[in-house]
Amino acid sequence: MWLIGSKTPKGDGYLRATSPNERRCVARESLGFYHALIVGGIYQFSEPVELASISTYVHALRQCVRHHPQLCCTVAEPGTQSPYYKACACLDLSRHVQILPQRDGRHGVQSVEEALPVMLDSMGPPHIPAWKITVIPFSQQRCFLGFSFSHSLGDGMSGIAFHRTFLDALQETGVERELIWTPNLQQLDPPFDTSTNLPISWSFLLRPLLGVILPKRVASLLGFGITAPAGIWTASKMFYNPEKHQTCVKVLSIDAATVKEALKVCRAHQGKLTGLLHQLIINSLSEAFAHRDDLDHLAARTALNMRGPVGKSNDEMGNFITAVTQFHAIKKLAGSDIVQEVDWESVQAVTERLAAAAKELRDQPLGLLRYLSDVRSWVSSQLGEPRDCSYEVSNLVSFQPARPTSRCAVTEMIFCQPADVLGAPLNFNVVSVANGPLSIAVSWQAGALALASEEDEDDFVERICQGIRSGFGQLVSRAPG
């Protein structure tokens, strides 16, 4: 059914109605299909600090809440067709901080790989704002600090915004100690996915409807069908088993020197890092599927940050993400051949396509959500359907502090999404630190890769990660001196 609008009550604490995309996020979380996403960093202090004490973080957390009103609101009536945002009158910061036992952190973000699934699959009580920080001390001066939060509050770049505010506040010698406080009520900005920001033409609106109603051949001839090549790997159909649902994660780290050289080579070929990452992923998956004669293509989705086109700063929290899908041929190999060559024409083409899509607001598929009368029912109805892509790349690019740091610095970052019941079989979550290493967290839903066992899935993803690492190594070794 197609309908515009939704009804929401207004009362104490009411902030605003959720947008269609926000309702999609709320629905999949309330149904258990998606939990928290996390953006974390390795924090290095110049002097010893009580990293296992919550008081170390109170001032910085209060500054974050002051700057980002999403951190002081909850979603009311999440199980209905019309959830809305409601202000939290009183905030107890002790319920938003988790401090885990100290561990060896010599391997940076890879040191917390085992802890990530629990962080990603944990959601707090519904009556408090859906976010928290998790601290894992490595020493008296170094720790991992992960910010996990509901996608209904913001996208991946919102996590970057949080850490910029948090790190900036840590440079100050704040004396705030009170854990329970009443923040000043702030209104939420309007959502991104409005008809003003994302206008939809009649032809674009009718295309998916006619593509379903008309016979496939007629729809294809008239241009209303979805044109996709044959033999696309999409692994399992979408499924959800609440008793066995869990997130699996592999973390890959690329050192700063290799990243610097890779960026240099990309620029020489008129490409960017995201385009290169797609090529390395395609090469690795082509090797993994060398024995599969039934597979010919990969559907690669890339998440796009649309703050720029609507005049928003990257320091603002919220959901400003759209996505674009491109099809790539699986590279056919003979015997035990290994794909090592980078197709720079493809890297350049992907780079150009993403740059153009990141500026285009008209006829975005995301805008079609506002024509659904019941987003929640639509979300739940997708179970049992084939997935619509092979993998997704979400690149938060390079983290940079808001101002020069003296008391504390962030030396590494990690970004990871939880198992996404309705999403791609594999998610490649990417982030780096300016002049520092690049981390790639590969996440997937246990069982979603359609292999014989979870151990086979783990081995499969490990091979993909090793292929990407090898690809970076080959790229640097072949670069001119």
Side-chain angles (χ1 to χ4, degrees), residues 4 29 42 92 158 168 210 236 250 253-254 269 285 287 289 295 303 316 318 389 391 411 426 472 474:
I4 301 177
E29 289 177 16
I42 304 294
D92 182 354
S158 299
D168 193 51
L210 294 177
S236 74
K250 286 281 185 184
S253 183
I254 308 297
H269 290 87
L285 287 172
E287 291 178 21
F289 297 140
L295 298 178
E316 293 190 46
C389 66
Y391 69 87
T411 60
L426 290 170
F472 272 106
Q474 290 287 337

Side-chain angles (χ1 to χ4, degrees), residues 8-10 13-19 22 70 83-86 152 187-193 318-319:
T8 52
K10 292 187 178 182
Y14 175 88
L15 293 173
R16 67 165 173 81
T18 52
S19 72
E22 290 165 344
Q70 291 87 348
Y84 60 95
Y85 291 109
K86 183 177 181 180
S152 63
Q187 283 296 325
L188 296 178
D189 286 339
F192 164 62
D193 55 314
N319 279 296

Side-chain angles (χ1 to χ4, degrees), residues 241-246 446 454:
N241 183 335
E243 296 180 356
K244 296 183 178 181
H245 181 78
Q246 69 178 62
E454 291 183 14

Side-chain angles (χ1 to χ4, degrees), residues 26-35 121 240-242 245 376 419 421 445:
V26 170
R28 64 179 182 175
E29 289 177 16
S30 67
L31 291 167
F33 296 174
Y34 193 98
H35 294 143
D121 288 338
Y240 177 61
N241 183 335
H245 181 78
R376 182 182 174 85
V421 168
Q445 177 189 3

Side-chain angles (χ1 to χ4, degrees), residues 425-448:
L426 290 170
N427 278 284
F428 294 85
N429 311 285
V430 186
V431 68
S432 64
V433 171
N435 303 313
L438 172 85
S439 76
I440 304 172
V442 187
S443 59
W444 71 98
Q445 177 189 3

Side-chain angles (χ1 to χ4, degrees), residues 12 109 221 327 427:
D12 288 343
V109 292
L221 290 172
F327 300 102
N427 278 284

Side-chain angles (χ1 to χ4, degrees), residues 266-395:
C266 280
R267 286 192 294 269
H269 290 87
Q270 292 79 50
K272 289 194 174 182
L273 184 64
T274 302
L276 173 62
L277 285 169
H278 276 292
Q279 263 297 294
L280 299 182
I281 293 167
I282 292 165
N283 286 354
S284 296
L285 287 172
S286 293
E287 291 178 21
F289 297 140
H291 63 291
R292 295 282 301 273
D293 293 332
D294 59 319
L295 298 178
D296 297 302
H297 293 90
L298 298 168
R301 176 175 295 157
T302 309
L304 300 174
N305 174 20
M306 303 298 285
R307 284 170 173 78
V310 293
K312 294 293 184 179
S313 162
N314 283 336
D315 286 328
E316 293 190 46
M317 291 184 69
N319 279 296
F320 296 90
I321 296 297
T322 61
V324 61
T325 300
Q326 296 170 281
F327 300 102
H328 301 276
I330 293 175
K331 300 179 181 181
K332 298 300 182 179
L333 306 176
S336 59
D337 287 353
I338 297 175
V339 180
Q340 294 181 340
E341 296 297 328
V342 172
D343 182 348
W344 288 109
E345 288 187 5
S346 178
V347 172
Q348 184 179 357
V350 169
T351 298
E352 292 174 351
R353 175 70 181 93
L354 296 181
K359 299 175 183 177
E360 184 57 60
L361 294 171
R362 185 177 179 82
D363 287 345
Q364 286 279 357
L366 184 66
L368 294 174
L369 285 177
R370 64 177 176 266
Y371 296 98
L372 288 175
S373 62
D374 187 348
V375 173
R376 182 182 174 85
S377 294
W378 173 76
V379 167
S380 62
S381 71
Q382 294 181 68
L383 290 179
E385 296 294 324
R387 300 177 191 272
D388 61 359
C389 66
S390 306
Y391 69 87
E392 178 179 290
V393 171
S394 299
N395 186 1

Side-chain angles (χ1 to χ4, degrees), residues 172-297:
E172 307 164 358
T173 54
V175 294
E176 294 176 298
R177 301 288 183 182
E178 292 297 324
L179 295 174
I180 301 176
W181 65 305
T182 304
N184 293 328
L185 178 63
Q186 298 183 60
Q187 283 296 325
L188 296 178
D189 286 339
F192 164 62
D193 55 314
T194 64
S195 58
T196 301
N197 287 339
L198 302 179
I200 297 294
S201 66
W202 276 107
S203 60
F204 189 77
L205 175 62
L206 292 174
R207 185 178 299 271
L209 181 61
L210 294 177
V212 172
I213 294 176
L214 295 174
K216 288 186 178 180
R217 178 159 179 76
V218 175
S220 178
L221 290 172
L222 295 176
F224 292 119
I226 297 174
T227 304
I232 298 176
W233 178 71
T234 55
S236 74
K237 292 184 177 181
M238 293 180 276
F239 69 94
Y240 177 61
N241 183 335
E243 296 180 356
K244 296 183 178 181
H245 181 78
Q246 69 178 62
T247 298
C248 303
V249 180
K250 286 281 185 184
V251 177
L252 173 66
S253 183
I254 308 297
D255 66 85
T258 300
V259 173
K260 181 179 180 180
E261 191 61 38
L263 290 172
K264 180 180 177 181
V265 177
C266 280
R267 286 192 294 269
H269 290 87
Q270 292 79 50
K272 289 194 174 182
L273 184 64
T274 302
L276 173 62
L277 285 169
H278 276 292
Q279 263 297 294
L280 299 182
I281 293 167
I282 292 165
N283 286 354
S284 296
L285 287 172
S286 293
E287 291 178 21
F289 297 140
H291 63 291
R292 295 282 301 273
D293 293 332
D294 59 319
L295 298 178
D296 297 302
H297 293 90

